[in-house]
Amino acid sequence: MTIVKQIWARLDQRGRIGLAFGVAAILALTSILGYWTLRQDYQVLFSGLAPQDAAAMVAELERMKVPYRIGEGGDTILVGADVVHKTRLKLLGKDIPLHGAVGFELFNNTDFGMTEFAQKVNYQRALQGEITRTILSIEEIQGARVHLALPEHTLFKKAGATPKASVTLTLKPGRRLAPDQVRGIQRLVAASVPDIRPEDVTLLDQHGVALSRQGGDEADLASGRLEHKRGMEDYLGRKLADVLDRSFGAGQAIATVDVVLGNKQVKVTTEDVLPANKPGADEAPTGIVVRERHTVRDGAAGKDGEQNEEERNNEIEYQVGRRIEQVESGPGAVERLSVAVVVRAPLGEEELGRLREIAANAVGFNAERGDRIAVYSMGRLPALTPSNEAATTQPPAEAAAAPASAAPTAARPLGAVPQPFWWVLAGLLGLGALLWFGARRTVAETTLAGPLDEAGRAAALRQVQRWLDQEAAEELR
């Protein structure tokens, strides 16, 4: 300790400061190295967990006696980097009820004393859990919950009620399900549970909005028909617009398609008689002989004692084939198309006819169905004409009257100069005037000051001498 005091006493102020900073740096570096060496590196085991899933994971880690940490937000679990993969595999191999649902692993350890009612409840729980896990594999879905309403079947009586299902979905932020995905989930549930129809599966989102449509809801049916109509119009409109853009350039043609869909369900039944053999030109159609009967009866005696001729009756019963054909067309068929095309470029009658034929083929025009198509040409619009082609916008009479020797570029008149130019010019003139008045005032003040007297010259020389002495002293240093 005495040596340290002697060394400290010999040092000047700058040395003491350097020694203090050095000791502090050594202590800080030693602390950092010790912490870096002794600390345990934690890595993410699972992230984005729901509260119930995080609680199940933490309980299992405590049972396994694995040190862990919970990240910010409570949805991330971290464990040591040396055991993170091993722990993850062990947890995935255990029967942990993730997402609040259990699957058929519920029957891995069954109790032989379980009643039939408990077995049915466990089977329903397992079925709901397996369907939930399958639905969660869809990318847009963050959480799901499935409820099955299964009627009870007894040995001698079958329940008259039909089973139904309801599914509540929690979508990821910014995601939404397409109509095809909604129908796919309905079919998935219907195919997983016996006797459930897809229309008996109700889907809701996290806001309580129904994603599926029921067959008996007239409002939903009308909405579905409207969406189908919009889809058909958008599809045909894109096809026609693509043809026009490739032909005339982007934005040079406008096309719209209106589709009228049928709302009636039509069923046509046709019944034909099929002969057993192909009849000839003079033969009647015959069928298969089912029964043939021949009856012969002797003739009765006449008044004169003579015997009359015998009577013969032949009865043949045929069976002919029948063909019954039923053609059923549901609502949603296209009844009529109305197409309108407007082209900006000037076109002749022949070109308009060709364009009408191309547009008709693009949208599937059918004159027998009552479809209508209209194609018009608006010519070149002034708003689309570039500024260097202003001469082309003149009427034909004025263009013909213009002299051929006119200069291609004429001087712009004074009134055509934009107004901001005059504001800039006025600003420059005002700035020049201010500078000129300022310069004149400075010259006037200098002139009025006059020459220096003896005292002023002496003070100026002393100031110059003082500046020179300061410069010489700085050079010597």
Side-chain angles (χ1 to χ4, degrees):
M1 192 68 182
T2 306
I3 298 175
V4 175
K5 290 181 178 180
Q6 292 177 359
I7 296 174
W8 181 264
R10 292 177 184 177
L11 296 175
D12 55 356
Q13 186 178 1
R14 183 176 298 178
R16 291 177 180 179
I17 295 174
L19 179 61
F21 275 108
V23 172
I26 292 173
L27 292 176
L29 182 60
T30 305
S31 301
I32 292 174
L33 290 177
Y35 173 77
W36 184 267
T37 305
L38 299 177
R39 78 180 183 93
Q40 186 178 4
D41 185 16
Y42 281 85
Q43 292 186 1
V44 176
L45 179 65
F46 293 105
S47 61
L49 296 174
Q52 60 270 22
D53 297 342
M57 289 290 183
V58 167
E60 190 64 29
L61 289 175
E62 291 178 353
R63 192 177 297 111
M64 296 169 57
K65 299 185 182 304
V66 176
Y68 66 91
R69 289 183 180 178
I70 298 179
E72 296 182 0
D75 59 349
T76 304
I77 300 177
L78 301 94
V79 297
D82 53 343
V83 295
V84 59
H85 301 292
K86 182 179 178 181
T87 306
R88 184 182 293 119
L89 293 177
K90 285 184 177 180
L91 290 176
L92 293 177
K94 294 181 177 294
D95 299 334
I96 301 177
L98 298 179
H99 303 286
V102 292
F104 283 108
E105 68 273 4
L106 187 63
F107 295 95
N108 290 342
N109 299 320
T110 57
D111 187 4
F112 291 101
M114 187 178 298
T115 62
E116 182 182 359
F117 178 76
Q119 289 281 3
K120 290 181 179 180
V121 172
N122 287 340
Y123 173 74
Q124 184 171 346
R125 289 180 58 195
L127 189 58
Q128 292 176 168
E130 293 295 336
I131 296 175
T132 300
R133 293 174 181 177
T134 306
I135 293 176
L136 288 175
S137 61
I138 301 176
E139 183 180 0
E140 289 80 4
I141 297 177
Q142 183 176 359
R145 193 166 184 180
V146 179
H147 300 277
L148 300 178
L150 303 178
E152 184 178 0
H153 297 273
T154 61
L155 181 61
F156 301 101
K157 182 180 179 181
K158 185 177 181 180
T162 58
K164 296 182 180 181
S166 61
V167 182
T168 304
L169 303 176
T170 301
L171 304 180
K172 295 180 180 179
R175 299 294 187 91
R176 58 176 301 179
L177 291 178
D180 294 338
Q181 292 176 308
V182 173
R183 289 191 292 268
I185 295 176
Q186 288 181 297
R187 294 178 182 177
L188 169 67
V189 178
S192 303
V193 184
D195 299 331
I196 287 187
R197 299 175 300 177
E199 55 268 18
D200 292 334
V201 180
T202 303
L203 269 67
L204 302 178
D205 61 1
Q206 66 267 30
H207 305 291
V209 180
L211 302 177
S212 59
R213 298 185 179 89
Q214 302 299 327
D217 197 340
E218 296 296 335
D220 290 338
L221 289 176
S223 177
R225 288 193 291 266
L226 181 59
E227 290 184 2
H228 181 54
K229 171 182 171 66
R230 291 175 179 173
M232 289 287 295
E233 292 176 350
D234 293 341
Y235 171 70
L236 296 176
R238 285 195 301 268
K239 286 182 60 178
L240 184 56
D242 186 42
V243 173
L244 296 175
D245 291 344
R246 291 176 180 269
S247 302
F248 300 97
Q252 298 301 316
I254 304 173
T256 180
V257 180
D258 182 76
V259 181
V260 178
L261 301 178
N263 299 326
K264 298 180 181 179
Q265 186 173 1
V266 181
K267 184 177 181 180
V268 180
T269 302
T270 304
E271 183 175 352
D272 296 333
V273 177
L274 302 177
N277 55 358
K278 296 182 179 179
D282 300 333
E283 297 180 4
T286 60
I288 301 174
V289 177
V290 177
R291 186 179 60 179
E292 184 176 359
R293 180 182 179 184
H294 300 278
T295 304
V296 179
R297 188 173 60 177
D298 296 336
K303 295 180 180 181
D304 52 359
E306 295 181 356
Q307 189 76 16
N308 296 330
E309 297 181 354
E310 60 182 9
E311 296 180 2
R312 296 178 179 272
N313 295 325
N314 296 329
E315 296 180 1
I316 302 176
E317 184 177 350
Y318 296 94
Q319 181 180 4
V320 296
R322 292 190 307 167
R323 182 183 65 184
I324 299 177
E325 181 180 358
Q326 295 183 352
V327 180
E328 184 175 354
S329 60
V334 178
E335 288 189 353
R336 186 173 65 255
L337 289 179
S338 299
V339 184
V341 180
V342 179
V343 184
R344 300 183 186 274
L347 299 178
E349 291 297 333
E350 184 178 357
E351 295 175 341
L352 287 177
R354 294 178 181 176
L355 180 58
R356 186 179 295 104
E357 183 179 358
I358 293 174
N361 292 329
V363 298
F365 181 82
N366 188 359
E368 298 178 356
R369 191 171 51 191
D371 297 350
R372 294 178 296 178
I373 184 170
V375 180
Y376 295 97
S377 173
M378 295 179 61
R380 179 171 294 182
L381 297 178
L384 299 178
T385 305
S387 58
N388 57 355
E389 297 181 0
T392 60
T393 62
Q394 297 179 357
E398 296 182 4
S405 60
T409 57
R412 177 178 292 181
L414 186 60
V417 178
Q419 188 175 4
F421 172 78
W422 296 109
W423 288 105
V424 174
L425 182 59
L428 293 177
L429 292 177
L431 181 61
L434 290 176
L435 293 176
W436 182 70
F437 281 115
R440 289 197 58 183
R441 183 176 180 181
T442 303
V443 173
E445 291 178 353
T446 305
T447 306
L448 293 174
L452 296 175
D453 54 0
E454 294 295 334
R457 285 196 296 271
L461 290 175
R462 284 195 301 270
Q463 183 65 29
V464 172
Q465 186 64 34
R466 191 179 301 111
W467 289 341
L468 293 176
D469 293 342
Q470 290 178 359
E471 292 180 0
E474 291 178 357
E475 291 178 359
L476 291 176
R477 290 180 183 176

